[in-house]
Amino acid sequence: MKHLLKTAAAAAAVLGLAACGSGSPSAGTDASGSPAAGGEGLTPVTVGVIPIVDTAPIWLGEAEGLFAEEGLDLDIQTATGGSAIVPGVQSGSYDFAFSNLISIMVANDKGLDMSVVANGATTTGDAEHDFGGVVVNADSDIRTPKDLAGKKVSVNNLSNIGDTTIKDVIEADGGDAASVQFVEVPFPDAPAALENGVVDAAWIVDPFLTQAVDSGARLVSSNFVDFHPELDIAGYFTSQAKIDAEPELVERFTRAMNASLEFAQENPEKVRDIVGTYTKIDDETRAEIVLPRYRAEFDQEAAQKLADSAKKYGTLSNDADLEKLLP
């Protein structure tokens, strides 16, 4: 595990980068509300993303000129997490942004009016080979998800997609999800918390998952796949106000994003290469990590199950309106 701690510390920058931009007002319009001209006649568009593997398609699409083909000049701004991204969309600092689906559901549950306009990342569907999972130390007596009952499990954020899916997986395996104590530990710190006995199990995503397993940790559940093999994890979203005010801009962004997702899925090595331009994941690790599935379409059944589970476990107070939320 010593090698894991060193590599995890180095990879911490993946999730710890500060915002690159100042969060200026929406670049999609000028002072009069009309589309503003970008470089070479392109319309500037500001997108808030987290600098992780999941967001590779937008970086790749920009590099390959797929957004320029739609007349868009992207200003990709990085943020540390959804707590900064959702308010950025609400205020107009970002025209579009990336977040997991639960976070967007929660934002709407609290009275905001957000809609997803393009997919972001999807589970691989392979329980033995996914980019997120629950791991334990090699000598742990935890063997299956039901064994997590009564244990302390780390997630990066409470009341979000991690603990929601894990609770469902535990119950499906015959365990008592209500008895699990979830604790908030950032992904880069979770391997050390597991090794030191601070938690009994840790939910982590790549690159930390691959590093942990390579260093001796044991996978108990690929919770995304075990929850639903077609689960879409995240998407690109904007405010309903933006959709109403600039529907043509939204359509252009969606087309470019869908093309980028398809290109990324067809070119995994280019995905691994582009990840090295906006993260500090080294070449060796990038070659080993599991990539998400990138696709344009959403699986409605999986999304409905996610929304229902979020309501069941108290993450949402109301039923999510998926007809309004998803494209």
Side-chain angles (χ1 to χ4, degrees):
M1 291 289 285
K2 291 182 179 179
H3 172 69
L4 166 63
L5 298 182
K6 291 180 181 178
T7 54
V14 177
L15 301 177
L17 293 178
C20 293
S22 62
S24 57
S26 171
T29 58
D30 61 19
S32 67
S34 302
E40 300 180 357
L42 302 180
T43 302
V45 173
T46 303
V47 186
V49 305
I50 306 169
I52 55 177
V53 177
D54 303 35
T55 60
I58 194 169
W59 301 88
L60 188 56
E62 170 69 358
E64 294 290 331
L66 300 180
F67 287 89
E69 288 179 6
E70 290 291 343
L72 303 178
D73 179 20
L74 285 194
D75 175 12
I76 302 176
Q77 298 188 9
T78 59
T80 55
S83 60
I85 282 179
V86 173
V89 172
Q90 181 69 9
S91 68
S93 296
Y94 303 136
D95 295 302
F96 304 93
F98 174 93
S99 185
N100 76 70
L101 296 185
I102 288 284
S103 291
I104 304 170
M105 291 178 190
V106 169
N108 286 351
D109 195 55
K110 293 182 177 179
L112 300 183
D113 199 2
M114 303 290 169
S115 293
V116 178
V117 298
N119 207 336
T122 302
T123 177
T124 64
D126 182 353
E128 301 298 322
H129 199 67
D130 202 26
F131 61 93
V134 180
V135 296
V136 297
N137 289 323
D139 59 354
S140 172
D141 59 358
I142 299 172
R143 297 290 171 181
T144 69
K146 68 180 179 182
D147 297 332
L148 294 169
K151 305 297 185 181
K152 187 179 293 185
V153 181
S154 72
V155 292
N156 68 320
N157 292 120
L158 297 174
S159 298
N160 212 283
I161 196 165
D163 50 6
T164 296
T165 53
I166 293 170
K167 287 175 183 178
D168 181 272
V169 170
I170 290 171
E171 287 197 354
D173 195 42
D176 178 14
S179 68
V180 179
Q181 181 184 353
F182 287 98
V183 295
E184 195 167 284
V185 180
F187 288 137
D189 301 329
L194 178 63
E195 182 189 18
N196 296 330
V198 176
V199 295
D200 302 301
W203 175 56
I204 48 180
V205 298
D206 265 334
F208 310 106
L209 178 59
T210 293
Q211 293 166 348
V213 172
D214 285 349
S215 299
R218 178 163 46 81
L219 182 68
V220 171
S221 171
S222 294
N223 52 298
F224 291 151
V225 182
D226 292 343
F227 179 84
H228 197 294
E230 296 298 327
L231 182 64
D232 300 302
I233 311 303
Y236 292 84
F237 70 101
T238 190
S239 65
Q240 187 59 46
K242 170 66 71 174
I243 294 173
D244 292 341
E246 301 181 76
E248 190 265 345
L249 176 68
V250 174
E251 290 175 3
R252 287 156 62 195
F253 177 83
T254 298
R255 284 196 300 267
M257 196 64 244
N258 287 346
S260 299
L261 290 162
E262 293 170 358
F263 185 86
Q265 182 64 24
E266 295 170 358
N267 296 275
E269 292 311 310
K270 288 193 174 185
V271 169
R272 296 181 193 278
D273 289 342
I274 201 75
V275 168
T277 68
Y278 65 88
T279 77
K280 293 185 178 180
I281 306 177
D282 59 66
D283 293 350
E284 181 180 355
T285 303
R286 294 202 316 274
E288 294 182 11
I289 58 176
V290 178
L291 299 179
R293 191 173 5 160
Y294 301 118
R295 65 183 183 191
E297 69 277 5
F298 282 90
D299 188 285
Q300 296 288 333
E301 177 184 303
Q304 188 62 62
K305 182 179 179 183
L306 185 64
D308 292 343
S309 294
K311 172 74 179 301
K312 175 181 178 180
Y313 298 121
T315 302
L316 299 178
S317 300
N318 306 292
D319 293 329
D321 184 354
L322 292 189
E323 185 173 341
K324 184 177 184 339
L325 181 74
L326 299 180

